[in-house]
Amino acid sequence: MKIYTLHHPHNIEKSDLPPLVMALGFFDGVHLGHQQVIGTAVEKANQQGAKSAVMTFDPHPSIVLGHKHKQVQYITPLEEKIKRIELLGVDYFFVVRFTSSFAALNPQEFIDSYIIGLNVRHVVAGFDYTYGRLGKGTMETLPFHSREAFTFTTVEKLEDSEEKISSTRIRQLLNEGEVAEASRLLGRPYEVKGTVIHGDKRGRKIGFPTANIEVEQECLVPQSGVYAVKVKIKEEWYNGVCNIGYRPTFKNPDERSLSIEVHIFDFKQSIYGEEVTVKWYTRLRGEQKFDGIEALVAQIDRDKQKAIDYLKKLD
Ligand SMILES: Cc1cc2nc3c(=O)[nH]c(=O)nc-3n(C[C@H](O)[C@H](O)[C@H](O)COP(=O)(O)O)c2cc1C
Ligand SMILES: Nc1ncnc2c1ncn2[C@@H]1O[C@H](COP(=O)(O)OP(=O)(O)OP(=O)(O)O)[C@@H](O)[C@H]1O
């Protein structure tokens, strides 16, 4: 997949690009709805003998359009989004830097420069796609703004339980710890990349050594609690049980720092500094404050057994 990063105003010549069928959207998560949109673009490109393309933005428009202090947490940070979209067989990927000058373009200017100007012959987007300043351009205004330079396909709403599958809904589910439900809407287990860092080294003393994982600030960590997980270490997947939380049994409330730690089954290697991927399968319980180490250890033992039983069913 050929990747272009565009800063407004871009200086790509139309003649530098082949005829494109382009899917439009932010595509955080590359969920089942997005897969439908992108899959349609790939299919149309094949039919028309054109190349398939996806155009997305970075960072999330909400960072530029107002809610300044709100840090957006991504289901798929850009690198992961690129990887997922490439797997769908897309030929060209455009990331437009979402700056205030780009956001100020009116719908016709956006279409002229970023659609017609990039040699797009067919656009694919969902029923609720909007473009241009204040999102004034919609799929209804697209024929007018197209100047007959391209045709388009509107993808119908993909629903689950009579509700649109959306990035917002998946973020909400992850924030509620509903990782299994989120995974269903994503079409794959939810995963996050991170680095193994040093913890307090208490885990091995209580019989449950854990890999403490530091994740990028911008990626979404599910709600605190205990989860059945798989961890990828040096290209190999292992089963484990993960605690996301503040370890209230050991830490005072004023020391609140979120930790993500995985007790990996049948694993004894030292992996500090390794980059790992965690896939979350199901939430087993919420984090609790225990009266003593013994009660915590007994509970972790039960968590481990539950995770083993759950993950066994998947194999
Ligand atoms: C499966 C699992 C469940 C856990 N549940 C809790 C919990 O409910 N409450 C709590 O205070 N700590 C919980 N912990 C965290 C332990 O307190 C933690 O692993 C221990 O303090 C070691 O921390 P360290 O790796 O920083 O040394 C859990 C850990 C694991 C692996
Ligand atoms: N469930 C869906 N069915 C059909 N099209 C969809 C669906 N979800 C998103 N799309 C389309 O996919 C593209 C990317 O959409 P976008 O990035 O806004 O995702 P979203 O899931 O709707 O996000 P948000 O929750 O932020 O609204 C757009 O063209 C959008 O219309």
Side-chain angles (χ1 to χ4, degrees):
M1 187 166 75
K2 240 180 136 150
I3 300 169
Y4 286 80
T5 302
L6 308 184
H7 293 259
H8 184 70
H10 74 77
N11 53 12
I12 295 185
E13 294 290 334
K14 192 173 175 173
S15 54
D16 291 342
L17 290 164
L20 299 175
V21 174
M22 178 120 85
L24 302 174
F26 189 76
F27 299 115
D28 184 29
V30 197
H31 58 60
L32 294 176
H34 298 154
Q35 291 170 32
Q36 192 106 314
V37 173
I38 297 169
T40 304
V42 171
E43 211 174 282
K44 291 267 169 203
N46 287 339
Q47 284 163 8
Q48 299 182 7
K51 295 287 182 192
S52 57
V54 168
M55 178 182 285
T56 188
F57 312 102
D58 185 60
H60 195 276
S62 69
I63 290 181
V64 174
L65 305 174
H67 341 289
K68 275 190 201 106
H69 303 293
K70 213 177 123 211
Q71 157 114 32
V72 173
Q73 294 194 305
Y74 297 108
I75 307 166
T76 46
L78 184 59
E79 190 193 333
E80 176 68 12
K81 179 154 72 174
I82 291 174
K83 199 180 96 190
R84 293 273 151 211
I85 289 176
E86 184 162 30
L87 286 172
L88 298 174
V90 171
D91 301 311
Y92 284 75
F93 185 82
F94 296 88
V95 194
V96 181
R97 291 283 163 225
F98 201 91
T99 57
S100 26
S101 60
F102 175 75
L105 290 179
N106 67 40
Q108 188 67 66
E109 289 167 332
F110 169 73
I111 294 293
D112 288 345
S113 177
Y114 289 84
I115 304 296
I116 300 171
L118 296 178
N119 208 15
V120 174
R121 304 296 173 86
H122 191 85
V123 160
V124 182
F127 67 103
D128 60 352
Y129 181 71
T130 59
Y131 57 92
R133 188 151 47 100
L134 305 173
K136 287 273 194 244
T138 66
M139 295 311 277
E140 280 71 43
T141 61
L142 197 56
F144 173 77
H145 291 131
S146 74
R147 304 182 192 276
E148 296 187 0
F150 61 88
T151 51
F152 68 96
T153 301
T154 306
V155 175
E156 278 176 35
K157 175 158 64 172
L158 184 70
E159 291 185 324
D160 177 274
S161 310
E162 291 171 31
E163 203 188 323
K164 183 190 155 194
I165 295 176
S166 71
S167 307
T168 307
R169 184 173 164 195
I170 294 170
R171 277 190 215 109
Q172 202 174 327
L173 286 166
L174 293 171
N175 282 323
E176 290 165 357
E178 299 287 348
V179 295
E181 182 75 357
S183 297
R184 217 163 51 72
L185 305 185
L186 283 170
R188 61 180 187 276
Y190 179 57
E191 63 179 64
V192 164
K193 279 199 175 62
T195 307
V196 180
I197 54 164
H198 290 273
D200 297 338
K201 310 276 191 302
R202 199 183 302 113
R204 66 182 71 162
K205 279 190 222 134
I206 65 172
F208 288 100
T210 57
N212 290 59
I213 295 164
E214 185 176 66
V215 302
E216 298 279 325
Q217 225 189 338
E218 59 173 22
C219 78
L220 203 162
V221 176
Q223 193 196 59
S224 65
V226 179
Y227 295 83
V229 300
K230 285 182 187 265
V231 192
K232 187 166 110 179
I233 306 160
K234 299 182 209 160
E235 299 310 312
E236 193 129 0
W237 287 98
Y238 299 87
N239 291 350
V241 63
C242 174
N243 185 59
I244 301 176
Y246 302 95
R247 293 158 293 174
T249 309
F250 298 101
K251 304 271 182 188
N252 295 324
D254 58 342
E255 287 183 279
R256 275 175 79 85
S257 75
L258 187 77
S259 85
I260 303 169
E261 43 178 328
V262 186
H263 172 64
I264 309 164
F265 306 149
D266 307 317
F267 189 83
K268 295 220 161 46
Q269 299 169 38
S270 169
I271 49 168
Y272 291 119
E274 288 292 338
E275 188 178 88
V276 297
T277 305
V278 183
K279 274 189 194 172
W280 275 281
Y281 283 87
T282 194
R283 188 167 189 265
L284 302 171
R285 66 172 172 93
E287 196 186 37
Q288 291 161 246
K289 181 174 166 63
F290 289 91
D291 287 338
I293 292 185
E294 220 171 281
L296 170 67
V297 168
Q299 181 59 52
I300 296 181
D301 229 352
R302 289 193 288 273
D303 297 335
K304 177 175 178 173
Q305 199 49 52
K306 273 197 193 160
I308 289 173
D309 293 344
Y310 187 91
L311 295 167
K312 207 188 301 168
K313 282 189 259 156
L314 302 176
D315 296 334

